[in-house]
Amino acid sequence: MKQQVAFLSHSDCGRHDTGWDHPEHVGRLRAIPRALRHDPVLFESLQHFEGRHATEDEIALAHDRDYIATVRDMAQSGGGRLDPDTVVSEGSWDAATAGTGCVLDGVDMAFDGRAPRSFSAVRPPGHHALRDRAMGFCLFGHVAIAAHYALATTACERVLIVDWDVHHGNGTQALVEHEPRIHFVSMHQWPWYPGTGAADDRGPHGTLWNVPMAPSLPSSQYVEALLRAVDAAADGFTPDLILLSAGFDCLEGDPLGAFTLTLDDVGTLTRALVERAERWCGGRLVSAMEGGYAPDPVAQAVLVHLAALA
């Protein structure tokens, strides 16, 4: 039977050196293949790829060229900080372009038949990055770029982005809200960083479904709220592709959030999105890692997510 799911990453994603005292450190990424090695059945069920680097032209589908040059030049000069939370090291340019490139490869695979579904284990994350500046650990908006890339380079005419990270995907929203062919759903803790994502913020074209949720609720309430919003966003708008910002800081006990989702909930949500992708768009579901700051629980959640994708 043909393997349906691609697991993408790139060794350069480990070169983004934030320091071990930073929440978004390389240990988040290293924990995933370490856990996957202990599940040989799942390992063998996946297609394994090292992704490519995105080009500056591809990144410019969503970001200003002057900002792109700033990130590149800062990395080449040895690094620094683009905001109080967001570190650039010597390897960050290669890491960020590899992160975006992996997700773009996932889009290509979804449309050329190699793998309708994929998960990209990448860092730095992307969903807070704005058009002309970094924010919240994020340099480039991988998923937002992928949405514009799909519209520009494939037969895709409609994209649905789902973001279950505990923080609002303000960068993704800002990078897609002016494109009516993209619908965006974000469920996030409220009030919480970055303070955006009110329920009545529907965007200039009514293409946003923000789902702010109180902390510490029963996990079933988060699952039900997100799936209601996903179905609302697809009502009269059958997507050709689903993109998922898979932030595993939605898990109970994450140090940067207070949602209560369990590994079972991750499986439930993933299977629900797979079922909708099969019904709506030939199974095309491209997932990318965002937050999640307790490495071992994140790795276990990734394994559950991959198994449900498969």
Side-chain angles (χ1 to χ4, degrees):
M1 181 177 176
K2 181 180 177 182
Q3 294 159 312
Q4 296 290 300
V5 178
F7 177 77
L8 295 117
S9 194
H10 197 292
S11 57
D12 280 346
C13 289
R15 295 183 58 220
H16 177 58
D17 184 5
T18 59
W20 288 104
D21 59 344
H22 193 285
E24 202 290 290
H25 58 70
V26 70
R28 303 173 62 238
L29 206 57
R30 291 178 181 173
I32 296 169
R34 187 168 63 241
L36 192 54
R37 285 196 296 269
H38 294 290
D39 192 336
V41 173
L42 177 59
F43 185 94
E44 292 295 330
S45 74
L46 306 170
Q47 299 185 60
H48 297 263
F49 293 95
E50 180 165 82
R52 62 178 176 88
H53 289 271
T55 67
E56 291 191 32
D57 286 344
E58 289 166 340
I59 297 167
L61 291 168
H63 292 286
D64 288 348
R65 288 188 182 272
D66 286 348
Y67 168 64
I68 296 169
T70 296
V71 177
R72 182 194 64 224
D73 294 347
M74 182 177 286
Q76 289 176 351
S77 67
R81 285 184 182 264
L82 288 168
D83 80 357
D85 297 321
T86 309
V87 175
V88 174
S89 70
E90 180 275 334
S92 295
W93 171 259
D94 288 341
T97 57
T100 299
C102 286
V103 184
L104 300 188
D105 271 353
V107 171
D108 287 337
M109 291 176 187
F111 282 94
D112 67 21
R114 282 178 289 165
R117 293 184 290 282
S118 62
F119 173 75
S120 289
V122 296
R123 60 181 291 274
H127 76 151
H128 295 308
L130 300 169
R131 184 171 300 277
D132 59 356
R133 65 184 176 93
M135 184 176 179
F137 314 159
C138 301
L139 299 179
F140 299 138
H142 312 306
V143 167
I145 295 167
H148 290 290
Y149 175 85
L151 294 173
T153 66
T154 74
C156 182
E157 296 181 355
R158 292 171 298 278
V159 180
L160 174 62
I161 300 174
V162 179
D163 186 332
W164 71 38
D165 190 288
V166 77
H167 304 99
H168 179 236
N170 64 301
T172 303
Q173 173 175 316
L175 295 176
V176 306
E177 65 182 352
H178 296 287
E179 173 50 78
R181 295 176 294 172
I182 302 172
H183 284 193
F184 176 60
V185 176
S186 175
M187 180 182 70
H188 44 273
Q189 184 174 327
W190 180 276
W192 204 232
Y193 180 89
T196 53
D200 60 1
D201 182 3
R202 297 295 315 284
H205 298 288
T207 53
L208 310 177
W209 280 261
N210 280 310
V211 186
M213 300 288 288
S216 304
L217 298 173
S219 67
S220 60
Q221 294 189 28
Y222 300 116
V223 172
E224 292 163 4
L226 180 62
L227 294 179
R228 279 197 305 270
V230 167
D231 289 338
D235 185 18
F237 179 90
T238 303
D240 300 307
L241 171 68
I242 299 174
L243 291 168
L244 174 62
S245 278
F248 295 108
D249 46 8
C250 62
L251 292 171
E252 185 174 27
D254 189 272
L256 295 189
F259 274 6
T260 60
L261 275 77
T262 66
L263 296 180
D264 285 344
D265 295 321
V266 170
T268 296
L269 284 172
T270 306
R271 287 188 294 272
L273 291 179
V274 169
E275 185 275 327
R276 285 158 173 79
E278 293 286 358
R279 182 154 36 97
W280 293 335
C281 53
R284 289 186 290 270
L285 173 56
V286 175
S287 175
M289 184 171 167
E290 296 281 3
Y293 304 101
D296 290 335
V298 166
Q300 293 304 313
V302 169
L303 265 59
V304 169
H305 182 53
L306 285 166
L309 286 173

